[in-house]
Amino acid sequence: MVVGHHIIQHSVKTRLTPSLPRLNPLIAMEVADALEKELGHITNDKEWREVFIFPILAHIVARVSGRIFVGPKLKGDEGYLQAAVMYTKELMDAKRAIDKVRPWLRPFVARRLPEVRRLWERVKQVQGFLRPEVERRLKMDDEGGERP
């Protein structure tokens, strides 16, 4: 799962970090929009009420990071957002399941665990959302179009 982690570190260091000053207004706007969309119905009430905040925050994080990393088209796609939120949960479920297996058995058993299988199904689902966007951007690069 950590295949290519050096590529990710390099990309964050060389592409994302230098872009943060340019992205900060976009991030702030996206957070404000996400908060209004996810919490607007709650904050407009005059009375206090109890909410389970974790799923709301997970959805907000998925929207904002989706806007930054995959663009405006997918950040509003409920299917993509749900898949992104569930990927994170299922990744942690798979890690916990693998941790329960004796270390010497992990290479033989891990891929057969239900949690790991579920995670790989989610990866395929997310790839289904991302592949068309990646292909569109590659085509834009080939045609000399402006990057999003």
Side-chain angles (χ1 to χ4, degrees):
M1 298 259 181
V2 187
V3 174
H5 73 280
H6 295 294
I7 294 170
I8 295 169
Q9 288 175 342
H10 177 74
S11 295
V12 167
K13 192 182 286 184
T14 61
R15 301 266 174 119
L16 180 61
T17 303
S19 299
L20 284 177
R22 178 179 56 86
L23 292 174
N24 277 338
L26 177 66
I27 293 169
M29 184 180 70
E30 202 58 52
V31 168
D33 289 348
L35 285 170
E36 178 60 34
K37 184 175 191 309
E38 299 295 328
L39 295 173
H41 65 286
I42 296 169
T43 57
N44 291 336
D45 289 349
K46 298 279 187 225
E47 297 179 29
W48 287 86
R49 49 190 237 203
E50 191 173 311
V51 295
F52 185 53
I53 198 70
F54 178 77
I56 295 169
L57 290 178
H59 214 201
I60 290 170
V61 169
R63 275 180 57 98
V64 174
S65 59
R67 174 61 180 94
I68 300 306
F69 295 112
V70 297
K73 184 177 176 186
L74 285 179
K75 68 102 180 180
D77 185 312
E78 287 301 320
Y80 167 76
L81 291 174
Q82 189 62 26
V85 168
M86 292 307 295
Y87 171 80
T88 304
K89 179 196 176 302
E90 290 165 355
L91 177 65
M92 297 312 297
D93 292 345
K95 185 211 178 299
R96 280 190 289 275
I98 292 169
D99 286 347
K100 291 178 184 175
V101 176
R102 293 186 177 177
W104 67 273
L105 282 173
R106 289 176 187 167
F108 308 106
V109 175
R111 73 176 69 90
R112 294 183 181 95
L113 295 171
E115 295 87 350
V116 174
R117 288 180 182 214
R118 232 183 336 269
L119 178 63
W120 282 113
E121 287 302 314
R122 185 68 63 192
V123 166
K124 289 178 191 171
Q125 181 188 23
V126 171
Q127 285 174 339
F129 285 106
L130 295 179
R131 185 168 286 114
E133 183 64 17
V134 169
E135 289 171 356
R136 184 182 72 78
R137 290 184 185 194
L138 289 172
K139 186 177 177 184
M140 284 174 56
D141 280 352
D142 291 343
E143 295 171 354
E146 186 178 323
R147 286 185 171 189

